[in-house]
Amino acid sequence: DVKVTQSSRYLVKRTGEKVFLECVQDMDHENMFWYRQDPGLGLRLIYFSYDVKMKEKGDIPEGYSVSREKKERFSLILESASTNQTSMYLCASSLAVYNEQFFGPGTRLTVL
Amino acid sequence: SQKIEQNSEALNIQEGKTATLTCNYTNYSPAYLQWYRQDPGRGPVFLLLIRENEKEKRKERLKVTFDTTLKQSLFHITASQPADSATYLCAPWPSNTGNQFYFGTGTSLTVIP
C-alpha cells in the first residue's frame, strides 16, 4: 500500500514564526504536491514537484516555499507564518502526473 | 476563466437508493477526470479515473460517466449505504493554466438508514 505521511497532525504556531511541514512517501513516486483546504474554497494547490529539486507554483504560492532534496520527501515552508495561513495542509504523491494522487492524513495548522 | 461546479447543496438519500453527483466544468477540455472521497478530518481517497475517450466506467457499486460535449461528469453510487456518507470531490485535469490540478469544492452526501 502506498503510504504518505505528514510530520504532524496538529500544529500551533505564532505569527512570524518559520514553519516546516514535512511529507514523506514510500512508493518511489515522481510527483509530489502540497495543497491547502479551507471551508468553501476546497483544495487549492500551493506547489508541486515532478522531480528532485524541481518545483512548479500552483494557484497560491505566495508566502510559501518548498524543498525537494530527496525523491521521497517534499517539504513546505512558511517563511513567516500569518493568521491567514491557518488551514488544513495536505500532501499528495502520484506515479505519473495525471494519475491518481495518494494523500497524507493532513496537518491542521493554527497560526495565532 | 476555468470553473468546476459540483452539486451546490448537500445530498441526502435513503439507504438502498442510487446517489447521483454532478461535476460540471467550463472553459477547458480535460483529458482525465477523477473522483475522490473525503471523510471529515482526513485526506481525499482516490475512487475512479475516466479518460476523455471513455464514456463510462464502473467499479463495484460506483459508476462514472464523462460527457465531453456537455462538459459534465456524473458519479453514481448504487445501493447506497450509510458508510457511503462522505464528501465527494471531482478533479478534471489538466486545466489550461500552469496549475493544472483543480478540484471541485465537493458534494456532501448523507445516506440515511
Side-chain angles (χ1 to χ4, degrees), chain B residues 4-53:
Chain B
I4 304 168
E5 288 185 333
Q6 297 191 239
N7 302 56
S8 57
E9 310 222 340
L11 191 61
N12 297 326
I13 64 164
Q14 211 66 41
E15 184 176 3
K17 300 290 187 186
T18 296
T20 298
L21 283 63
T22 305
C23 175
N24 294 296
Y25 56 92
T26 54
N27 296 326
Y28 72 111
S29 299
Y32 310 89
L33 197 144
Q34 301 189 23
W35 283 89
Y36 289 78
R37 169 188 173 134
Q38 187 173 24
D39 291 288
R42 294 177 174 267
V45 174
F46 170 80
L47 296 173
L48 279 167
L49 179 152
I50 187 166
R51 293 175 171 77
E52 61 180 340
N53 60 351

Side-chain angles (χ1 to χ4, degrees), chain A residues 16 18 43-44 62 88 112:
Chain A
K18 192 167 186 175
L43 275 165
R44 292 180 293 166
E62 297 78 20
M88 170 71 95
L112 302 174

